[in-house]
Amino acid sequence: MRNTLLARTGLLVVSVIALLFAGCDDGLLSDEVEQWRFAIEETRGSVQDGYAQRFKELIEERTNGEVEVKVYPYGTLGTSDHVTELVRMGTVQFAMASPGHLGTMIPEVQVLLLHFTLTDDEEVNKTALSDPQFQAALAPLYEDKGFRLLSVYPEGWMVWTANRMLRRPADFTGLKIRTMTSPMLLAAYRAYGAAPTPLSYGEVYSALQLNMIDAQVNPVFAIQEMSFYEVSDYMIFGNQAPFITTSLTNHAFFEEQSPDRQTLILEVIDELDEYIHELQKDYNQSRMDIIRDNKPDLIIVDDLTEEERDAFRQASLITRDVFVRAVGPSGEVILEELLASVERAKETHGWDEE
Ligand code: 6CS
């Protein structure tokens, strides 16, 4: 019932936005200036905003002002699902689409939500996610839905904030933890014994404040800018997975661009890989200082032992089977591709597990 209502409300939001944009636009601002819309799933000052603003800067500079990029932060065009739908319709040309939400549309992308599939090393993970072979395996899945995949990148470790200490899977028993809306996240937390609740990003703060949920999970910069730490007693670093997002464009829009424009878009996206990696590290470090200063009595747990992390690792393994069962053979293929790209990235970095 609630889902039907939400789906109907969602459809209404998307239709109204599409109508509003259709009334005012053929993509041209004036005779010379074309407008590209870039919708992000986060607020101003976030990692995704940093990415989109740099994209805007480079595109506008390199098209000598022939293209203006307008960035739409979270909330201005609805939830992540609304934004994805607007790109599919071609009303918005570019967007971030996180597997945490996109999994309802492209089930295979949920491979990026599984815990302990990547390494403990952020540099190795970045290399694995930008691996051309891995991205080539994802690309046709995006194309089937009317998108062109542009990039896959991590935004920092997912960190638990909760009203209780979480050091062992048993501490999750019955924990009402908010997750993004992709079904595989429910499986990931059920594997620890939790009672996960999917909610949109905008609903998390009040759900914590009203004790409707006990916990949530997000990178540090998001915990700071969305003020989740204000309504949490504990902040626990399990390094079980990074937050990963993907950037995409409308497939037909990309195909209609001239070869020079296509090359420009791909060049800019390529340059952003390194830029965003450094920016997310900076944001996640500096926002942690703000959290510490603003809430001195928050209990920060960043000393989980290898033994404690291993208990989570073991408990999480079942989720790989759940993923393959739910998604089918294409899920198995994409999981193998991800694991292979992790191995290649380890080799590239001379990474030794012993
Ligand atoms: O938790 C969420 O729903 C959101 N978290 C981040 C860090 N980015 C976008 C996503 O929708």
Side-chain angles (χ1 to χ4, degrees):
M1 181 68 178
R2 182 174 181 264
N3 283 345
T4 319
L5 192 65
L6 278 178
R8 281 202 196 125
T9 322
L11 207 62
L12 193 66
V13 172
V14 169
S15 312
V16 170
I17 294 169
L19 270 176
L20 280 175
F21 281 157
C24 66
D25 126 271
D26 54 4
L28 293 176
L29 284 179
S30 69
D31 284 352
E32 296 87 31
V33 183
E34 196 180 322
Q35 189 178 73
W36 293 353
R37 301 190 177 101
F38 196 144
I40 56 172
E41 302 171 295
E42 296 166 2
T43 55
R44 288 240 186 272
S46 63
V47 171
Q48 291 188 5
D49 188 44
Y51 189 108
Q53 297 297 345
R54 184 75 182 141
F55 178 85
K56 171 182 167 68
E57 214 175 286
L58 295 175
I59 293 287
E60 290 181 357
E61 194 181 287
R62 294 180 192 178
T63 58
N64 300 315
E66 282 173 22
V67 174
E68 183 195 283
V69 179
K70 190 161 164 45
V71 178
Y72 291 85
Y74 182 74
T76 52
L77 302 181
T79 65
S80 297
D81 294 343
H82 298 148
V83 163
T84 313
E85 192 52 30
L86 287 166
V87 181
R88 212 182 51 76
M89 291 164 72
T91 308
V92 167
Q93 289 75 31
F94 296 89
M96 297 300 176
S98 299
H101 297 291
L102 190 64
T104 51
M105 190 187 266
I106 307 177
E108 292 86 349
V109 85
Q110 297 178 100
V111 74
L112 296 167
L113 303 173
L114 301 176
H115 293 180
F116 298 101
T117 44
L118 296 174
T119 70
D120 294 351
D121 185 324
E122 285 201 273
E123 306 304 320
V124 174
N125 296 344
K126 172 192 175 280
T127 304
L129 295 172
S130 42
D131 182 299
Q133 197 173 317
F134 173 61
Q135 292 200 6
L138 278 179
L141 305 164
Y142 279 66
E143 209 174 313
D144 278 354
K145 302 290 174 190
F147 305 123
R148 183 184 168 111
L149 173 67
L150 293 174
S151 62
V152 183
Y153 65 92
E155 296 189 33
W157 293 112
M158 288 294 255
V159 179
W160 298 309
T161 71
N163 61 9
R164 64 165 102 145
M165 175 64 91
L166 303 171
R167 287 198 87 106
R168 305 163 306 158
D171 297 329
F172 278 75
T173 308
L175 184 84
K176 282 184 261 144
I177 183 166
R178 176 270 172 174
T179 62
M180 291 177 278
T181 50
S182 288
M184 215 37 64
L185 285 168
L186 305 187
Y189 283 96
R190 282 188 189 127
Y192 301 151
T197 309
L199 290 175
S200 70
Y201 201 31
E203 294 175 295
V204 182
Y205 183 92
S206 55
L208 283 168
Q209 190 178 37
L210 298 171
N211 292 320
M212 288 162 67
I213 51 171
D214 305 311
Q216 69 82 41
V217 54
N218 254 306
V220 172
F221 81 87
I223 291 171
Q224 186 273 324
E225 73 187 14
M226 299 297 281
S227 304
F228 299 151
Y229 69 96
E230 286 178 1
V231 280
S232 304
D233 301 322
Y234 295 84
M235 190 164 171
I236 303 121
F237 290 73
N239 288 21
Q240 71 285 1
F243 179 93
I244 299 167
T245 197
T246 70
S247 68
L248 49 75
T249 183
N250 175 284
H251 192 263
F253 163 81
F254 187 83
E255 290 301 309
E256 282 159 13
Q257 299 302 305
S258 66
D260 281 356
R261 282 272 168 91
Q262 290 187 348
T263 307
L264 172 65
I265 293 170
L266 297 180
E267 243 171 45
V268 167
I269 292 292
D270 204 42
E271 282 177 42
L272 278 167
D273 230 35
E274 200 49 49
Y275 174 84
I276 202 62
H277 189 61
E278 292 309 312
L279 192 78
Q280 66 83 15
K281 280 199 274 188
D282 173 27
Y283 279 10
N284 283 309
Q285 267 162 27
S286 57
R287 307 288 172 88
M288 197 59 225
D289 295 337
I290 301 178
I291 293 176
R292 280 203 178 89
D293 286 351
N294 286 355
K295 190 163 179 178
D297 60 345
L298 181 71
I299 300 168
I300 298 166
V301 182
D302 56 5
D303 62 347
L304 254 58
T305 63
E306 260 324 296
E307 209 180 337
E308 285 170 326
R309 289 191 63 233
D310 204 48
F312 284 107
R313 185 179 288 110
Q314 295 310 323
S316 75
L317 289 177
I318 180 93
T319 321
R320 294 187 188 188
D321 301 333
V322 178
F323 170 75
V324 170
R325 261 205 312 275
V327 179
S330 56
E332 193 165 4
V333 169
I334 205 75
L335 176 58
E336 278 166 14
E337 289 287 353
L338 178 62
L339 296 174
S341 80
V342 171
E343 288 311 311
R344 284 193 292 277
K346 281 187 193 168
E347 252 177 61
T348 307
H349 289 265
W351 206 72
D352 187 359
E353 265 163 298
E354 304 320 316

